[in-house]
Amino acid sequence: MKIRIALCQVDMEWEHTARNLERLESVVAAAEADVVVLPEMFATGFKLRPAVVAEPQDGLVVTTMRRWAATYKKAVVGSAVIVEEGTYRNRMFFVKPSGETQWYDKRHLFRPGGEGRDYTPGDKRVVVEYMGFRFLLQICYDLRFPVWSRSRGDYDAIIYCASWDNKRRDAWCALLRARAIENQCYVIGVNRVGTDPDAVYIGDSQALDYLGRTIAGADSGEWTMSVTLDLEQQRAFRESFPAWQDADDFRLEP
């Protein structure tokens, strides 16, 4: 069983939702993949003051993602700023061509940048099943917290969408590899490029296999690259090297 994933490393205009969505449609349309992954807050840039760009769940960003998925017959993944019952969420969506939409609210809010000041954290891990694969959804700073992403035998790949500052690029690359190795899973990390008023983003988006080997990656610039994940190969490796059977048992609390 195989699936094609497109990593879309893109820049975006600060706080210009409609223009970003208009420009990124061609990126989604051209991607040769079953699943297209975009960066964190791909329609607005990373916003620490969410009221400026926040939308309801049925706002322009999510309805556009649904239209893309239905029109181009591929799942679309990325995060957006959502307002819900007076709270703001950094919410990652996995939108299927059927219109089915699942989401994950970022658990670990970026304390050094003040994200926790205005956003409400999530408290649930979310695994999405699509085309026989199980994907754990994670956002940016979540990458630093291995317990939250520890495999319990419940997923085959982790998808991280990010706005990861260039000053911490070594940590990004090292931690993506660590998550792949320790969980014996595929890891897809999609970061943005360009600048915003607070940071510079180099990119370094990459896909890694269950051994921590790089399948695809690039440092700077806008690009889209598609990779193939092979579930049978992953399962064969996990059977031949069953480190997962020796994992420490624990329970996550909200």
Side-chain angles (χ1 to χ4, degrees):
M1 191 177 301
K2 298 179 181 180
I3 193 168
R4 293 275 285 171
I5 311 291
L7 293 76
C8 300
Q9 180 170 288
V10 296
D11 193 0
M12 58 210 68
E13 290 187 60
W14 182 247
E15 298 180 354
H16 285 296
T17 302
R19 289 211 294 263
N20 286 319
L21 293 174
E22 181 179 5
R23 187 176 71 87
L24 292 177
E25 178 160 7
S26 62
V27 175
V28 174
E32 297 181 357
D34 304 301
V35 180
V36 177
V37 183
L38 296 160
E40 179 182 20
M41 298 186 187
F42 65 89
T44 60
F46 184 72
K47 277 297 297 178
L48 291 175
R49 298 293 185 183
V52 177
V53 296
E55 297 183 353
Q57 183 93 340
D58 60 353
L60 180 61
V61 176
V62 179
T63 56
T64 299
M65 292 176 74
R66 288 179 175 146
R67 179 175 60 79
W68 287 347
T71 300
Y72 303 113
K73 309 302 181 186
K74 58 192 78 169
V76 181
V77 183
S79 97
V81 183
I82 299 297
V83 59
E84 183 177 76
E85 298 180 348
T87 66
Y88 297 103
R89 306 280 183 160
N90 185 347
R91 182 166 290 176
M92 183 176 179
F93 293 93
F94 192 111
V95 182
K96 301 177 183 179
S98 65
E100 180 185 353
T101 303
Q102 293 172 262
W103 60 86
Y104 160 73
D105 288 336
K106 189 177 184 179
R107 165 69 169 176
H108 299 95
L109 302 176
F110 188 53
R111 185 183 299 273
E115 188 178 12
R117 179 184 56 230
D118 293 318
Y119 288 85
T120 299
D123 59 5
K124 296 179 181 178
R125 290 200 341 165
V126 175
V127 175
V128 175
E129 295 189 27
Y130 187 61
M131 294 181 62
F133 281 75
R134 299 168 301 167
F135 296 97
L136 177 69
L137 305 185
Q138 302 269 277
I139 303 174
C140 202
Y141 192 47
D142 285 327
L143 178 61
R144 289 184 177 269
F145 303 93
V147 173
W148 188 241
S149 62
R150 184 63 171 161
S151 175
R152 310 295 292 176
D154 56 343
Y155 66 80
D156 308 301
I158 310 174
I159 300 177
Y160 290 98
C161 63
S163 291
W164 196 282
D165 192 326
N166 183 43
K167 292 182 292 187
R168 292 174 285 274
R169 66 184 301 196
D170 288 342
W172 165 258
C173 296
L175 293 172
L176 286 174
R177 193 174 306 279
R179 299 295 87 85
I181 293 169
E182 69 195 12
N183 294 300
Q184 296 180 298
C185 70
Y186 290 102
V187 169
I188 305 296
V190 178
N191 193 25
R192 66 161 293 182
V193 292
T195 63
D196 65 24
D198 300 311
V200 176
Y201 305 93
I202 195 67
D204 287 319
S205 300
Q206 53 196 284
L208 301 114
D209 72 5
Y210 40 82
L211 285 164
R213 300 176 298 193
T214 301
I215 305 171
D219 49 11
S220 61
E222 291 192 291
W223 58 271
T224 297
M225 184 173 292
S226 295
V227 299
T228 299
L229 311 188
D230 189 311
L231 193 57
E232 279 69 32
Q233 286 184 1
Q234 180 187 18
R235 288 175 175 171
F237 168 71
R238 287 170 58 86
E239 289 178 8
S240 68
F241 192 78
W244 55 272
Q245 293 185 6
D246 300 315
D248 300 304
D249 193 24
F250 62 90
R251 185 175 65 182
L252 288 172
E253 298 290 347

